[in-house]
Amino acid sequence: MAVKTKIYRTKISFVVYGIFMLVALTPSAHATGMPQLDFQNPLVSGQVVWGGVIFLAFYLALSRSMLPRVGRVLEDRSKRIMNDLDMARKAKRDTDKAVAELQQARKDALLEAKAYLQSALEEERLATEKRMHDVHERLIAEIAEAERNLFAEKKRALESVRDIASETTQDLVKHLIGVIPDEHCVKEQVEAACSHRMV
């Protein structure tokens, strides 16, 4: 409010200074052909005096009624602007805080997702290893079972071959020399031949 009062006073001093300069320069102006500035003329001086009185009356009326209202309006406007600026600063601080919290939440979410992904990958790796181990154990058991079955089949096949060989040998000896050989002796010879062949 003090600044506005100083501004008004400065304006008034400029007006007074202007009137003073006008009065001071009047003789030279009249000499150059400006009769409206001839203050020797009572009509001109009366107009100047009444103009000053009217100006003073207008100034007093304005300074008492209008200028305080304008000053209040300007002051209210200044307060409103300052309040708006304060609200804008507060909103900016809140926005900056919200943005920082959002960025922190995003970082935390990324870290949590990364940790969860690592945990899921580790669990899947362990589960895969367990499945592979189970499959390996099952394959080993199946291979062992197949080997046992193969050995049993081979043993049965060899026994069948020995029986067939014994019978065939008996038939061959009977046809070749006409004598039926001893079955026990033929089996021993076939068994010895098979054992020798397996070695």
mmCIF file of all heavy atoms in Angstrom, residues 73-95:
data_model
loop_
_atom_site.group_PDB
_atom_site.id
_atom_site.type_symbol
_atom_site.label_atom_id
_atom_site.label_comp_id
_atom_site.label_asym_id
_atom_site.label_seq_id
_atom_site.Cartn_x
_atom_site.Cartn_y
_atom_site.Cartn_z
ATOM 1 N N VAL A 73 -8.656 -3.052 -4.613
ATOM 2 C CA VAL A 73 -8.769 -4.049 -5.685
ATOM 3 C C VAL A 73 -7.388 -4.577 -6.068
ATOM 4 O O VAL A 73 -7.170 -5.793 -6.220
ATOM 5 C CB VAL A 73 -9.484 -3.446 -6.914
ATOM 6 C CG1 VAL A 73 -9.355 -4.358 -8.118
ATOM 7 C CG2 VAL A 73 -10.953 -3.194 -6.596
ATOM 8 N N LEU A 74 -6.446 -3.636 -6.216
ATOM 9 C CA LEU A 74 -5.077 -4.056 -6.562
ATOM 10 C C LEU A 74 -4.464 -4.913 -5.456
ATOM 11 O O LEU A 74 -3.782 -5.908 -5.720
ATOM 12 C CB LEU A 74 -4.206 -2.831 -6.846
ATOM 13 C CG LEU A 74 -4.543 -2.047 -8.120
ATOM 14 C CD1 LEU A 74 -3.688 -0.802 -8.212
ATOM 15 C CD2 LEU A 74 -4.361 -2.923 -9.356
ATOM 16 N N GLU A 75 -4.723 -4.511 -4.198
ATOM 17 C CA GLU A 75 -4.181 -5.283 -3.082
ATOM 18 C C GLU A 75 -4.812 -6.667 -3.026
ATOM 19 O O GLU A 75 -4.117 -7.680 -2.829
ATOM 20 C CB GLU A 75 -4.430 -4.526 -1.775
ATOM 21 C CG GLU A 75 -3.738 -5.145 -0.590
ATOM 22 C CD GLU A 75 -3.900 -4.297 0.661
ATOM 23 O OE1 GLU A 75 -4.472 -3.188 0.560
ATOM 24 O OE2 GLU A 75 -3.448 -4.749 1.714
ATOM 25 N N ASP A 76 -6.156 -6.707 -3.214
ATOM 26 C CA ASP A 76 -6.832 -8.012 -3.240
ATOM 27 C C ASP A 76 -6.300 -8.869 -4.379
ATOM 28 O O ASP A 76 -6.078 -10.076 -4.220
ATOM 29 C CB ASP A 76 -8.347 -7.832 -3.382
ATOM 30 C CG ASP A 76 -8.960 -7.225 -2.137
ATOM 31 O OD1 ASP A 76 -8.301 -7.259 -1.075
ATOM 32 O OD2 ASP A 76 -10.094 -6.704 -2.241
ATOM 33 N N ARG A 77 -6.108 -8.218 -5.522
ATOM 34 C CA ARG A 77 -5.583 -8.960 -6.681
ATOM 35 C C ARG A 77 -4.174 -9.483 -6.389
ATOM 36 O O ARG A 77 -3.843 -10.629 -6.704
ATOM 37 C CB ARG A 77 -5.573 -8.040 -7.896
ATOM 38 C CG ARG A 77 -5.133 -8.715 -9.177
ATOM 39 C CD ARG A 77 -5.360 -7.787 -10.358
ATOM 40 N NE ARG A 77 -4.906 -8.394 -11.583
ATOM 41 C CZ ARG A 77 -3.691 -8.243 -12.095
ATOM 42 N NH1 ARG A 77 -2.805 -7.504 -11.453
ATOM 43 N NH2 ARG A 77 -3.353 -8.830 -13.222
ATOM 44 N N SER A 78 -3.371 -8.632 -5.746
ATOM 45 C CA SER A 78 -2.015 -9.059 -5.389
ATOM 46 C C SER A 78 -2.054 -10.226 -4.401
ATOM 47 O O SER A 78 -1.321 -11.208 -4.548
ATOM 48 C CB SER A 78 -1.245 -7.888 -4.787
ATOM 49 O OG SER A 78 0.026 -8.294 -4.366
ATOM 50 N N LYS A 79 -2.962 -10.119 -3.396
ATOM 51 C CA LYS A 79 -3.090 -11.228 -2.440
ATOM 52 C C LYS A 79 -3.555 -12.496 -3.122
ATOM 53 O O LYS A 79 -3.066 -13.606 -2.842
ATOM 54 C CB LYS A 79 -4.079 -10.845 -1.329
ATOM 55 C CG LYS A 79 -3.535 -9.845 -0.349
ATOM 56 C CD LYS A 79 -4.565 -9.523 0.722
ATOM 57 C CE LYS A 79 -4.039 -8.506 1.710
ATOM 58 N NZ LYS A 79 -5.046 -8.152 2.726
ATOM 59 N N ARG A 80 -4.548 -12.337 -4.047
ATOM 60 C CA ARG A 80 -5.045 -13.501 -4.769
ATOM 61 C C ARG A 80 -3.927 -14.144 -5.596
ATOM 62 O O ARG A 80 -3.789 -15.368 -5.642
ATOM 63 C CB ARG A 80 -6.205 -13.076 -5.667
ATOM 64 C CG ARG A 80 -7.355 -14.048 -5.612
ATOM 65 C CD ARG A 80 -8.598 -13.627 -6.342
ATOM 66 N NE ARG A 80 -8.473 -12.586 -7.321
ATOM 67 C CZ ARG A 80 -8.986 -11.372 -7.209
ATOM 68 N NH1 ARG A 80 -9.624 -11.032 -6.113
ATOM 69 N NH2 ARG A 80 -8.870 -10.490 -8.174
ATOM 70 N N ILE A 81 -3.142 -13.269 -6.250
ATOM 71 C CA ILE A 81 -2.032 -13.799 -7.057
ATOM 72 C C ILE A 81 -1.021 -14.519 -6.169
ATOM 73 O O ILE A 81 -0.537 -15.606 -6.508
ATOM 74 C CB ILE A 81 -1.359 -12.660 -7.848
ATOM 75 C CG1 ILE A 81 -2.293 -12.184 -8.970
ATOM 76 C CG2 ILE A 81 -0.032 -13.101 -8.436
ATOM 77 C CD1 ILE A 81 -1.822 -10.947 -9.689
ATOM 78 N N MET A 82 -0.705 -13.911 -5.007
ATOM 79 C CA MET A 82 0.239 -14.564 -4.091
ATOM 80 C C MET A 82 -0.320 -15.882 -3.570
ATOM 81 O O MET A 82 0.411 -16.879 -3.472
ATOM 82 C CB MET A 82 0.553 -13.623 -2.921
ATOM 83 C CG MET A 82 1.339 -12.383 -3.309
ATOM 84 S SD MET A 82 2.900 -12.752 -4.135
ATOM 85 C CE MET A 82 3.778 -13.561 -2.819
ATOM 86 N N ASN A 83 -1.633 -15.886 -3.251
ATOM 87 C CA ASN A 83 -2.250 -17.144 -2.804
ATOM 88 C C ASN A 83 -2.211 -18.188 -3.904
ATOM 89 O O ASN A 83 -1.916 -19.368 -3.654
ATOM 90 C CB ASN A 83 -3.692 -16.897 -2.366
ATOM 91 C CG ASN A 83 -3.782 -16.138 -1.063
ATOM 92 O OD1 ASN A 83 -2.861 -16.174 -0.263
ATOM 93 N ND2 ASN A 83 -4.880 -15.427 -0.851
ATOM 94 N N ASP A 84 -2.510 -17.737 -5.143
ATOM 95 C CA ASP A 84 -2.451 -18.678 -6.269
ATOM 96 C C ASP A 84 -1.042 -19.201 -6.474
ATOM 97 O O ASP A 84 -0.839 -20.399 -6.752
ATOM 98 C CB ASP A 84 -2.950 -18.002 -7.556
ATOM 99 C CG ASP A 84 -4.451 -17.722 -7.511
ATOM 100 O OD1 ASP A 84 -5.131 -18.326 -6.647
ATOM 101 O OD2 ASP A 84 -4.921 -16.910 -8.323
ATOM 102 N N LEU A 85 -0.049 -18.298 -6.328
ATOM 103 C CA LEU A 85 1.338 -18.742 -6.462
ATOM 104 C C LEU A 85 1.720 -19.722 -5.355
ATOM 105 O O LEU A 85 2.398 -20.727 -5.613
ATOM 106 C CB LEU A 85 2.283 -17.537 -6.451
ATOM 107 C CG LEU A 85 2.277 -16.667 -7.709
ATOM 108 C CD1 LEU A 85 3.144 -15.431 -7.502
ATOM 109 C CD2 LEU A 85 2.780 -17.467 -8.915
ATOM 110 N N ASP A 86 1.257 -19.422 -4.132
ATOM 111 C CA ASP A 86 1.528 -20.352 -3.026
ATOM 112 C C ASP A 86 0.879 -21.708 -3.282
ATOM 113 O O ASP A 86 1.490 -22.760 -3.057
ATOM 114 C CB ASP A 86 1.027 -19.771 -1.702
ATOM 115 C CG ASP A 86 1.866 -18.586 -1.239
ATOM 116 O OD1 ASP A 86 3.012 -18.463 -1.711
ATOM 117 O OD2 ASP A 86 1.363 -17.784 -0.426
ATOM 118 N N MET A 87 -0.369 -21.663 -3.753
ATOM 119 C CA MET A 87 -1.058 -22.927 -4.069
ATOM 120 C C MET A 87 -0.346 -23.666 -5.191
ATOM 121 O O MET A 87 -0.209 -24.898 -5.166
ATOM 122 C CB MET A 87 -2.517 -22.644 -4.452
ATOM 123 C CG MET A 87 -3.377 -22.208 -3.286
ATOM 124 S SD MET A 87 -5.049 -21.749 -3.783
ATOM 125 C CE MET A 87 -5.637 -23.280 -4.441
ATOM 126 N N ALA A 88 0.123 -22.900 -6.201
ATOM 127 C CA ALA A 88 0.842 -23.537 -7.312
ATOM 128 C C ALA A 88 2.147 -24.159 -6.826
ATOM 129 O O ALA A 88 2.502 -25.281 -7.235
ATOM 130 C CB ALA A 88 1.117 -22.514 -8.410
ATOM 131 N N ARG A 89 2.862 -23.433 -5.939
ATOM 132 C CA ARG A 89 4.104 -23.999 -5.385
ATOM 133 C C ARG A 89 3.816 -25.253 -4.568
ATOM 134 O O ARG A 89 4.533 -26.251 -4.664
ATOM 135 C CB ARG A 89 4.813 -22.950 -4.518
ATOM 136 C CG ARG A 89 5.397 -21.791 -5.295
ATOM 137 C CD ARG A 89 6.292 -20.916 -4.413
ATOM 138 N NE ARG A 89 6.601 -19.673 -5.083
ATOM 139 C CZ ARG A 89 6.003 -18.518 -4.878
ATOM 140 N NH1 ARG A 89 5.021 -18.439 -3.984
ATOM 141 N NH2 ARG A 89 6.364 -17.427 -5.543
ATOM 142 N N LYS A 90 2.751 -25.181 -3.753
ATOM 143 C CA LYS A 90 2.381 -26.358 -2.958
ATOM 144 C C LYS A 90 1.985 -27.523 -3.863
ATOM 145 O O LYS A 90 2.390 -28.674 -3.634
ATOM 146 C CB LYS A 90 1.224 -26.002 -2.025
ATOM 147 C CG LYS A 90 0.821 -27.133 -1.117
ATOM 148 C CD LYS A 90 -0.325 -26.741 -0.211
ATOM 149 C CE LYS A 90 -0.740 -27.925 0.652
ATOM 150 N NZ LYS A 90 -1.903 -27.608 1.495
ATOM 151 N N ALA A 91 1.204 -27.214 -4.914
ATOM 152 C CA ALA A 91 0.811 -28.270 -5.852
ATOM 153 C C ALA A 91 2.033 -28.852 -6.547
ATOM 154 O O ALA A 91 2.122 -30.072 -6.763
ATOM 155 C CB ALA A 91 -0.173 -27.712 -6.882
ATOM 156 N N LYS A 92 3.005 -27.977 -6.882
ATOM 157 C CA LYS A 92 4.233 -28.475 -7.522
ATOM 158 C C LYS A 92 5.010 -29.370 -6.570
ATOM 159 O O LYS A 92 5.522 -30.421 -6.958
ATOM 160 C CB LYS A 92 5.103 -27.305 -7.973
ATOM 161 C CG LYS A 92 6.339 -27.743 -8.750
ATOM 162 C CD LYS A 92 7.158 -26.568 -9.191
ATOM 163 C CE LYS A 92 8.363 -27.020 -9.989
ATOM 164 N NZ LYS A 92 9.257 -27.886 -9.238
ATOM 165 N N ARG A 93 5.097 -28.940 -5.288
ATOM 166 C CA ARG A 93 5.778 -29.785 -4.310
ATOM 167 C C ARG A 93 5.070 -31.131 -4.162
ATOM 168 O O ARG A 93 5.721 -32.189 -4.127
ATOM 169 C CB ARG A 93 5.847 -29.072 -2.954
ATOM 170 C CG ARG A 93 6.876 -27.968 -2.885
ATOM 171 C CD ARG A 93 7.147 -27.556 -1.435
ATOM 172 N NE ARG A 93 5.944 -27.092 -0.767
ATOM 173 C CZ ARG A 93 5.531 -25.840 -0.744
ATOM 174 N NH1 ARG A 93 6.207 -24.907 -1.384
ATOM 175 N NH2 ARG A 93 4.430 -25.510 -0.086
ATOM 176 N N ASP A 94 3.733 -31.082 -4.076
ATOM 177 C CA ASP A 94 2.974 -32.332 -3.965
ATOM 178 C C ASP A 94 3.173 -33.200 -5.205
ATOM 179 O O ASP A 94 3.317 -34.426 -5.100
ATOM 180 C CB ASP A 94 1.482 -32.031 -3.767
ATOM 181 C CG ASP A 94 1.210 -31.366 -2.432
ATOM 182 O OD1 ASP A 94 2.079 -31.453 -1.537
ATOM 183 O OD2 ASP A 94 0.128 -30.759 -2.288
ATOM 184 N N THR A 95 3.178 -32.542 -6.384
ATOM 185 C CA THR A 95 3.371 -33.296 -7.622
ATOM 186 C C THR A 95 4.760 -33.920 -7.665
ATOM 187 O O THR A 95 4.920 -35.094 -8.040
ATOM 188 C CB THR A 95 3.163 -32.368 -8.836
ATOM 189 O OG1 THR A 95 1.866 -31.794 -8.756
ATOM 190 C CG2 THR A 95 3.290 -33.144 -10.134
#
